[in-house]
Amino acid sequence: MTTVSTTEPTTPIERLRGMPDIGPEVYRRREAIRHTLQAILEQHGYQFIEPPVVEATELFLRKSGPERVAQIYALRYRNRDIALRPEHTASVLRYYVEELQNEPLPLRLAYVGPVFRYERPQAGRSRQFTELGCELLGAPSPYGDAEIVHLAVESVTALGLTPRLVVGHIGIVLEFLDRLPLRQRVRDWLLWSMERLRKGQPVDVDAALESLSGNERLVALYHELGHELRDISPERLERWVLGMLREVGVQLSGGSRTPEEIVAGVLAKLSRVQDREHILQAFAFTRELAALEGPPAEVLPQLRMLLDRHALDPTPIQQIEAVLQLLRAYGVEEDTVVLSPGMARGLHYYTGVLFEVYAAEQPHLQLCGGGRYDDLAQLLGARQPLPACGFSCGLERLTELARVPGPSLPDITLVAPVTQEAMPHAIATAEALRQRNVQVELDVRGRSPNANRRYARRRGISHVIFVEADGSTRVEQLPLRQDGQE
Amino acid sequence: MAPTLRLAISSKGAYEEATLRFLESAGLPVWRPNPRQYVGRISGLEGVDVLFQRTEDIVHKVADGSVDLGITGYDLVAEHASDNPDVLVVLDDLGFRRCELVLAVPEGWLDITTMADLADLSVDFKRSGRTLRVATKFPNLTRDFLYRNGVHYFSLVDAHGALEVAPALGHADIIADLTETGVTLRENRLRILEGGVILRAQACLIASRRGLRQASEKLERARSILELIEARLRARHYRVITANVRGESEAAVAERITANVAIAGQQGPTLSRVYPKFPDAGCTWYEVRIIVPRDLLLHAIDHLRQVGSSDITVNSPDYVFAQRCESYDRLCEAVEHEP
């Protein structure tokens, strides 16, 4: 057996990479900001809830975008797939499905708590952060959207920052994509590439085309065969190919898939070449959409023309306009808004208006973001459709940027027994003061009066109360500590 | 007493032999009292223990600091410690035990040849209520690779022992496994996907930040080992050519040789006069020595022939030392810096 000797120093255990420690000063600042934001949400009728940190991994896989899936802290524990939550929305909706389906709508729920994302550690990004946000369940567009956008803008404003609001509508691109027979993987890629184009990042279409619809050899083969094969029913074709392959002795039994599945796969691969046209068509559209960005007065007419040209449903434009109009009532002027119809955000559960808020002071740091997700509740098993929207923000990032004075240091009084015998009296004194809401520290190290004065000065404590063995007390006010001086 | 530097190497059959051969070739012969002992020493180097360990354990021991240096597979380091700032890869390629971690599907899956095909298949599986099961001993590398290649719906199956039979036995649909030649995969009717190489790996030298931070004596001993290994690895890229060249004067010969800068040696040729057995009036012979990169050897020979060389001999150097021991400098910097 090994015994650990208490006298022998052991190697210290270091903090995990990307996992921050929040020290007292930042904690105080962050809590003050949390209170501010919490108060704003509560004023609007939001009630705070706290879902568990650990959930079934499946909850976050249902509709998260690929980037987010790759960041989940997922693990297998006692034969269950569990994950640390990377965000709150899915948990809140799961809670709704389990507990709140019979409640009157709308429901206004808010949350604040740690979330975990396995990101590359870099400045301004850690693997654990505190997410604060809210969900407005059962409020269709545009009233719901306007309330949520207003809340996000109000939150940023309350922290002394100048919000820069960017609004988009995922419904436009989704409708376009719905018209084309595109596979999920192609849709994922198109949304991903639109977001990149919007941010001015390069997208390699040729490489993507090859990966999504087959390489040149396959394209050539399809052009040669496609017309001939078009009139033959897939079932017959499959039967022929299967028979032929068997005849020439090609082994088709491959583990978990049947020969029929494999042959169907071969033929599907050939027909995937047809997707090429659709992919290019959709890509051209997303590129046009991504290029539109600017003040609503400029972008809206262009967007209207684009939708007209493609005979798309104008409802998204009407919704955006209605939200902008309602925001004016909330005091958000249109000239502070940027319209960006090519916005997709990383998550794939959005269905309507979505938005991001930046600080004018730090135009590249996103402070809040959110949007409408009308399908999510049903995806998670709700009986009825539930129009819903919400937003969230990272408290640590806001704490770093906020331009509000941090809370002042608490005014602490030190109660110090002069001798050992004075301790019971000192405790009584301290407790009496605490009853009167004074923050009191008690000397538990049995220090001399001089040592206590030194300690108090270093800690920034302004008053020391010395307690004698007979219970008598003497208050001493210490000179205020100058900065850089002990 | 100064603390002993602990170097862990593989205790597993062929891997152990290859490591011992490599160390010996670098001038670090390992001596152990008898083959059943798990601690050995390096002849001529005091204060170094050589510990024989399982290859997987070496990474973990370096990570927790119970071993200071380790020689193990880069695949294991990437899998188990890519995110661990306490494990420092000092030399990532020692030139032996090359292998690849690859994704392989059953040969009969004619429709699945690329990673894109696999991504489509995983979506099809999900739609029909199945999950693509991937058997591997490298879950972290495999997961990241699949995500990077657009495969998002899959589950990893923990498999020990003979992975190649998992698809045939129905434990998994496809596998991610190490292969050196691909023979075992083929024998089990599996095919490597195009673009399905997850990682190319080989033996590498890793160091423990924790272990080495504690004692400067250890770092000094690590330097002796690194100096020799680094110089030995560098030497493999060079050849030493010695040739006799006829010429009027030393300067004239030097000028002809340096005309081709790429193969005139690192700084330039060394010339020394040859005193011939049969003096030839009006002509002098010089011995030329140059060091050239291995891949330029034949160019250099051609050039030397053109300028009138004969009797060309070529040797491989045992060591080539640079101005500084780069790996040691890197190690020191990494040990001192906070992760």
Side-chain angles (χ1 to χ4, degrees), chain A residues 291-303:
Chain A
L292 291 180
E293 183 166 302
E298 251 172 53
V299 172
L300 278 171
Q302 297 177 31
L303 185 59

Side-chain angles (χ1 to χ4, degrees), chain A residues 11-14 17 58 61-62 64-67 69-71 74 76 118 121 127 183-185 188 210-212 215 217 245 250-258 261-267 269 272, chain B residues 64 82-86 106-117 119-121 123-128 130 133 143-144 147 149-150 152-153 167-168 172-173 189 194 209-210 213-214 338-339:
Chain A
T11 37
I13 292 164
E14 286 163 9
R17 192 162 22 166
E58 172 71 14
L61 295 183
R62 281 274 169 98
S64 285
E67 316 86 89
V69 169
Q71 292 175 344
R76 205 168 167 76
Y118 193 80
R127 291 176 175 175
R183 286 164 295 139
Q184 185 60 45
R185 208 162 71 78
D188 284 355
E210 179 162 335
S211 146
L212 294 169
N215 55 29
R217 295 191 305 273
L245 289 173
V250 174
Q251 178 96 24
L252 277 177
S253 61
S256 54
R257 296 168 77 214
T258 63
E261 278 177 309
I262 292 166
V263 169
V266 171
L267 294 172
K269 195 169 170 175
R272 226 166 269 163
Chain B
D64 68 24
S82 68
D83 190 37
N84 192 330
D86 286 328
E107 223 170 45
W109 289 16
L110 301 181
D111 53 335
I112 310 298
T113 53
T114 63
M115 287 306 294
D117 293 337
D120 281 322
L121 182 72
V123 177
D124 288 347
F125 263 50
K126 184 181 160 69
R127 203 179 302 126
S128 61
R130 290 149 79 184
R133 295 161 305 157
R143 189 187 305 111
D144 290 348
Y147 282 151
N149 284 277
H152 296 286
Y153 311 109
D173 301 304
R189 312 195 66 84
E194 273 173 44
R209 187 197 304 272
R210 283 185 178 200
R213 188 178 270 175
Q214 290 158 15
E338 286 302 312

Side-chain angles (χ1 to χ4, degrees), chain A residues 281-295:
Chain A
Q281 213 178 323
F283 183 71
F285 180 76
T286 57
R287 193 159 50 186
E288 271 187 275
L289 214 50
L292 291 180
E293 183 166 302

